[in-house]
Amino acid sequence: MGLNFVNMQCFKWRNNILKIAGIFLFLLTLNLFSVGQQKQLQFNNLTTNDGLSSSNILCFLQDHHGFIWIGTYDGLNRYDSKDFKIYKHETNNPFSLADNLVRTLYL
C-alpha cells in the first residue's frame, strides 16, 4: 500500500513539473515571436507567492485580450502580466463558478 502511495506521489510531482515546464515553454515562445516588436516580454515563473491560487495547474490558455487563464484545483486565475484575479465558487452567488476545480478551458 505504501509503495503505491509513493508511486502516485511521484506521478503527481512529475505531472506538475511537466505542466509548469509547458507554461514556461509557452511563454518563452510568446517572447520569441515578439522579438521584432518594441514591447519585450520577460517571464521567470509564477507561484502562489505571486497570487496564483494553487501550485497545481490543470489547464491554461491565452485569450485575444492577452490575459492568461489558468485552471487549478482552487479556482480560475486570470493573469494580466502583473496581477492575478481569482474566481472561485461562492455558495450564495449563482453566477460564480460551479466548483473550484477547473480542469478544462475553452476559447
Side-chain angles (χ1 to χ4, degrees), residues 35-81:
V35 169
Q37 301 173 2
Q38 290 180 334
K39 183 178 179 183
Q40 279 201 330
L41 300 175
Q42 181 178 353
F43 176 80
N44 294 324
N45 61 17
L46 299 169
T47 68
T48 54
N49 293 333
D50 300 304
L52 189 61
S53 66
S54 172
S55 60
N56 296 311
I57 296 170
L58 302 173
C59 55
F60 67 93
L61 64 79
Q62 185 174 21
D63 67 16
H64 63 280
H65 295 291
F67 292 119
I68 297 176
W69 294 87
I70 303 169
T72 72
Y73 285 105
D74 194 28
L76 177 63
N77 298 255
R78 184 188 75 188
Y79 183 65
D80 66 3
S81 80

Coordinates of all heavy atoms in Angstrom, one line a residue, residues 35-81:
V35 N 10.1 39.3 -30.7 CA 11.5 39.9 -30.9 C 11.4 41.1 -31.8 O 12.1 42.1 -31.5 CB 12.4 38.8 -31.4 CG1 13.8 39.4 -31.8 CG2 12.6 37.8 -30.3
G36 N 10.7 41.0 -32.9 CA 10.6 42.1 -33.8 C 9.8 43.3 -33.4 O 9.8 44.4 -34.0
Q37 N 9.1 43.2 -32.3 CA 8.2 44.2 -31.8 C 9.0 45.0 -30.7 O 10.0 44.6 -30.1 CB 7.0 43.6 -31.1 CG 6.2 42.8 -32.1 CD 5.0 42.1 -31.4 OE1 4.8 42.2 -30.3 NE2 4.2 41.4 -32.2
Q38 N 8.5 46.2 -30.4 CA 9.2 47.1 -29.5 C 8.9 46.6 -28.0 O 9.8 46.7 -27.2 CB 8.6 48.5 -29.6 CG 9.1 49.2 -30.8 CD 8.5 50.6 -30.9 OE1 7.5 50.9 -30.3 NE2 9.2 51.5 -31.6
K39 N 7.8 46.1 -27.7 CA 7.5 45.6 -26.4 C 8.1 44.2 -26.2 O 7.8 43.3 -26.8 CB 6.0 45.5 -26.2 CG 5.5 45.2 -24.8 CD 4.0 45.2 -24.7 CE 3.6 44.7 -23.3 NZ 2.2 44.7 -23.2
Q40 N 9.0 44.1 -25.2 CA 9.6 42.8 -24.9 C 8.9 42.2 -23.7 O 8.6 42.9 -22.7 CB 11.1 43.0 -24.6 CG 11.9 43.1 -25.9 CD 13.4 42.7 -25.6 OE1 13.8 42.9 -24.5 NE2 14.0 42.2 -26.5
L41 N 8.7 40.9 -23.8 CA 8.2 40.1 -22.7 C 9.3 39.4 -21.9 O 10.2 38.9 -22.5 CB 7.2 39.1 -23.2 CG 6.0 39.6 -23.9 CD1 5.1 38.5 -24.5 CD2 5.1 40.5 -23.0
Q42 N 9.1 39.3 -20.6 CA 10.1 38.6 -19.8 C 9.3 37.8 -18.8 O 8.4 38.3 -18.2 CB 11.1 39.5 -19.1 CG 12.1 38.8 -18.3 CD 13.1 39.7 -17.6 OE1 13.1 40.9 -17.8 NE2 13.9 39.1 -16.8
F43 N 9.7 36.5 -18.7 CA 9.0 35.6 -17.8 C 10.0 34.8 -17.0 O 10.9 34.2 -17.6 CB 8.0 34.7 -18.6 CG 7.4 33.7 -17.7 CD1 6.3 34.1 -17.0 CD2 7.8 32.4 -17.7 CE1 5.6 33.1 -16.2 CE2 7.2 31.5 -16.9 CZ 6.1 31.8 -16.1
N44 N 9.8 34.8 -15.7 CA 10.7 33.9 -14.8 C 9.8 32.7 -14.4 O 10.0 31.6 -14.9 CB 11.2 34.7 -13.7 CG 12.2 35.7 -14.1 OD1 13.0 35.5 -15.0 ND2 12.3 36.8 -13.4
N45 N 8.9 32.9 -13.5 CA 8.0 31.9 -13.0 C 6.9 32.6 -12.2 O 7.1 33.7 -11.7 CB 8.6 30.8 -12.3 CG 9.3 31.2 -11.0 OD1 9.1 32.3 -10.5 ND2 10.2 30.4 -10.5
L46 N 5.8 31.9 -12.0 CA 4.7 32.4 -11.2 C 4.4 31.3 -10.1 O 4.3 30.1 -10.4 CB 3.5 32.6 -12.1 CG 3.6 33.7 -13.1 CD1 2.5 33.7 -14.1 CD2 3.8 35.1 -12.5
T47 N 4.2 31.8 -8.9 CA 3.9 30.9 -7.8 C 2.7 31.4 -7.0 O 2.2 32.5 -7.3 CB 5.1 30.7 -6.9 OG1 5.3 32.0 -6.2 CG2 6.4 30.3 -7.7
T48 N 2.4 30.7 -6.0 CA 1.3 31.2 -5.1 C 1.8 32.4 -4.3 O 0.9 33.2 -4.0 CB 1.0 30.1 -4.0 OG1 2.1 29.6 -3.4 CG2 0.3 28.9 -4.7
N49 N 3.1 32.6 -4.2 CA 3.6 33.9 -3.6 C 3.3 35.1 -4.5 O 3.2 36.2 -4.0 CB 5.1 33.8 -3.4 CG 5.4 32.8 -2.3 OD1 4.7 32.5 -1.4 ND2 6.6 32.2 -2.4
D50 N 3.1 34.9 -5.8 CA 2.7 35.9 -6.7 C 1.2 36.2 -6.8 O 0.8 37.1 -7.4 CB 3.3 35.6 -8.1 CG 4.8 35.5 -8.1 OD1 5.4 36.4 -7.7 OD2 5.2 34.4 -8.6
G51 N 0.4 35.2 -6.2 CA -1.0 35.4 -6.2 C -1.7 34.3 -6.9 O -3.0 34.2 -6.9
L52 N -1.0 33.3 -7.5 CA -1.7 32.1 -8.1 C -2.4 31.3 -7.0 O -1.8 31.1 -5.9 CB -0.6 31.2 -8.7 CG -1.1 30.1 -9.6 CD1 -1.9 30.6 -10.8 CD2 0.2 29.3 -10.1
S53 N -3.7 30.9 -7.2 CA -4.5 30.3 -6.2 C -4.0 28.9 -5.8 O -4.2 28.5 -4.6 CB -5.9 30.2 -6.6 OG -6.1 29.4 -7.7
S54 N -3.3 28.2 -6.6 CA -2.8 26.9 -6.3 C -1.6 26.6 -7.2 O -1.5 27.1 -8.3 CB -3.9 25.8 -6.6 OG -3.4 24.5 -6.5
S55 N -0.7 25.8 -6.7 CA 0.5 25.5 -7.5 C 0.3 24.3 -8.4 O 1.1 23.9 -9.2 CB 1.7 25.1 -6.5 OG 1.4 24.0 -5.7
N56 N -0.9 23.7 -8.3 CA -1.3 22.6 -9.2 C -2.1 23.1 -10.3 O -3.3 23.4 -10.2 CB -2.1 21.5 -8.4 CG -1.3 20.9 -7.3 OD1 -0.2 20.4 -7.6 ND2 -1.8 20.8 -6.1
I57 N -1.5 23.3 -11.5 CA -2.1 23.8 -12.7 C -2.7 22.7 -13.5 O -1.9 21.8 -13.8 CB -1.1 24.7 -13.5 CG1 -0.7 25.9 -12.6 CG2 -1.7 25.1 -14.8 CD1 0.4 26.7 -13.2
L58 N -3.9 22.8 -13.9 CA -4.6 21.7 -14.6 C -4.7 22.1 -16.1 O -4.8 21.3 -17.0 CB -6.0 21.4 -14.1 CG -5.9 21.0 -12.6 CD1 -7.3 20.9 -12.0 CD2 -5.2 19.7 -12.5
C59 N -4.9 23.4 -16.4 CA -5.0 23.9 -17.8 C -4.7 25.4 -17.9 O -4.8 26.0 -16.8 CB -6.4 23.6 -18.3 SG -7.7 24.3 -17.3
F60 N -4.4 25.8 -19.1 CA -4.2 27.3 -19.2 C -4.4 27.6 -20.7 O -4.3 26.8 -21.6 CB -2.9 27.7 -18.7 CG -1.7 27.2 -19.5 CD1 -1.2 27.9 -20.6 CD2 -1.2 26.0 -19.2 CE1 -0.1 27.4 -21.3 CE2 -0.1 25.5 -19.9 CZ 0.4 26.2 -20.9
L61 N -4.7 28.9 -21.0 CA -4.8 29.4 -22.3 C -4.7 30.9 -22.3 O -4.8 31.5 -21.2 CB -6.1 29.0 -23.0 CG -7.5 29.4 -22.5 CD1 -7.8 30.9 -22.9 CD2 -8.5 28.5 -23.1
Q62 N -4.4 31.5 -23.4 CA -4.3 33.0 -23.5 C -5.5 33.4 -24.4 O -5.6 32.9 -25.5 CB -3.0 33.4 -24.1 CG -2.8 34.9 -24.1 CD -1.4 35.4 -24.5 OE1 -0.7 34.6 -25.2 NE2 -1.1 36.6 -24.2
D63 N -6.2 34.4 -24.0 CA -7.3 34.9 -24.8 C -6.9 36.0 -25.8 O -5.7 36.4 -25.8 CB -8.5 35.3 -24.0 CG -8.2 36.6 -23.1 OD1 -7.3 37.3 -23.3 OD2 -9.0 36.8 -22.2
H64 N -7.8 36.6 -26.6 CA -7.4 37.6 -27.6 C -7.1 38.9 -26.9 O -6.6 39.8 -27.6 CB -8.5 37.7 -28.6 CG -9.9 38.2 -28.1 ND1 -10.7 37.3 -27.4 CD2 -10.4 39.4 -28.1 CE1 -11.8 38.0 -27.0 NE2 -11.6 39.2 -27.4
H65 N -7.4 39.1 -25.7 CA -7.0 40.3 -24.9 C -5.6 40.2 -24.3 O -5.1 41.2 -23.8 CB -8.0 40.6 -23.8 CG -9.4 41.0 -24.3 ND1 -9.7 42.1 -25.0 CD2 -10.6 40.2 -24.2 CE1 -11.0 42.1 -25.3 NE2 -11.5 41.0 -24.9
G66 N -5.0 39.1 -24.4 CA -3.7 38.8 -23.8 C -3.7 38.3 -22.4 O -2.7 38.0 -21.8
F67 N -4.9 38.1 -21.8 CA -5.0 37.5 -20.5 C -4.6 36.0 -20.6 O -5.0 35.3 -21.5 CB -6.4 37.6 -19.9 CG -6.8 39.0 -19.6 CD1 -7.9 39.6 -20.2 CD2 -6.2 39.8 -18.6 CE1 -8.3 40.9 -19.9 CE2 -6.6 41.1 -18.3 CZ -7.7 41.6 -19.0
I68 N -3.9 35.6 -19.6 CA -3.6 34.1 -19.4 C -4.6 33.6 -18.4 O -4.6 34.1 -17.2 CB -2.2 33.9 -19.1 CG1 -1.3 34.4 -20.2 CG2 -1.9 32.4 -18.8 CD1 0.2 34.3 -19.9
W69 N -5.4 32.6 -18.7 CA -6.3 32.0 -17.8 C -5.8 30.7 -17.4 O -5.3 29.9 -18.2 CB -7.7 31.8 -18.5 CG -8.3 33.1 -18.9 CD1 -8.1 33.8 -20.0 CD2 -9.3 33.8 -18.1 NE1 -8.9 35.0 -20.0 CE2 -9.6 35.0 -18.8 CE3 -9.9 33.6 -16.9 CZ2 -10.5 35.9 -18.4 CZ3 -10.8 34.5 -16.4 CH2 -11.1 35.7 -17.1
I70 N -5.8 30.4 -16.1 CA -5.1 29.2 -15.5 C -6.2 28.5 -14.6 O -6.7 29.1 -13.7 CB -3.9 29.6 -14.7 CG1 -2.9 30.4 -15.5 CG2 -3.3 28.4 -14.1 CD1 -1.8 31.0 -14.7
G71 N -6.5 27.3 -15.0 CA -7.4 26.4 -14.2 C -6.6 25.6 -13.2 O -5.6 25.0 -13.5
T72 N -7.0 25.7 -11.9 CA -6.3 24.9 -10.8 C -7.4 24.1 -10.0 O -8.5 24.2 -10.3 CB -5.6 25.9 -9.9 OG1 -6.6 26.6 -9.1 CG2 -4.7 26.9 -10.7
Y73 N -6.9 23.5 -9.0 CA -7.7 22.8 -8.0 C -8.4 23.8 -7.1 O -9.4 23.5 -6.5 CB -6.9 21.8 -7.1 CG -6.5 20.6 -7.8 CD1 -5.2 20.4 -8.2 CD2 -7.4 19.6 -8.0 CE1 -4.8 19.2 -8.8 CE2 -7.0 18.4 -8.7 CZ -5.7 18.2 -9.1 OH -5.3 17.1 -9.7
D74 N -8.0 25.0 -7.1 CA -8.5 26.0 -6.2 C -9.0 27.3 -6.9 O -8.7 28.4 -6.5 CB -7.5 26.4 -5.1 CG -8.1 27.1 -4.0 OD1 -9.3 26.9 -3.7 OD2 -7.3 27.9 -3.3
G75 N -9.6 27.1 -8.1 CA -10.3 28.2 -8.8 C -9.6 28.5 -10.1 O -8.7 27.9 -10.6
L76 N -10.2 29.5 -10.8 CA -9.8 30.0 -12.1 C -9.0 31.3 -11.9 O -9.5 32.2 -11.2 CB -11.0 30.3 -12.9 CG -10.8 30.8 -14.3 CD1 -10.0 29.9 -15.2 CD2 -12.1 31.2 -15.0
N77 N -7.8 31.4 -12.4 CA -6.9 32.5 -12.3 C -6.8 33.3 -13.6 O -6.6 32.6 -14.6 CB -5.5 32.1 -11.8 CG -5.5 31.4 -10.5 OD1 -5.1 31.9 -9.5 ND2 -6.0 30.1 -10.4
R78 N -7.0 34.6 -13.5 CA -6.7 35.4 -14.7 C -5.5 36.2 -14.5 O -5.4 37.0 -13.5 CB -7.9 36.3 -15.0 CG -7.7 37.1 -16.3 CD -8.8 38.1 -16.5 NE -8.5 39.2 -15.6 CZ -9.3 40.3 -15.3 NH1 -10.5 40.3 -15.9 NH2 -8.9 41.2 -14.5
Y79 N -4.5 36.1 -15.3 CA -3.2 36.8 -15.2 C -3.0 37.8 -16.3 O -3.2 37.5 -17.5 CB -2.1 35.8 -15.2 CG -0.7 36.4 -14.9 CD1 -0.4 37.0 -13.7 CD2 0.3 36.4 -15.9 CE1 0.8 37.6 -13.5 CE2 1.5 37.0 -15.7 CZ 1.8 37.5 -14.4 OH 3.0 38.1 -14.2
D80 N -2.7 39.1 -15.9 CA -2.6 40.2 -16.9 C -1.2 40.6 -17.1 O -1.0 41.7 -17.6 CB -3.5 41.3 -16.5 CG -3.1 42.0 -15.2 OD1 -2.1 41.6 -14.6 OD2 -3.8 42.9 -14.8
S81 N -0.2 39.8 -16.7 CA 1.2 40.1 -16.8 C 1.7 40.9 -15.6 O 2.9 41.1 -15.4 CB 1.7 40.8 -18.1 OG 1.4 42.2 -18.0

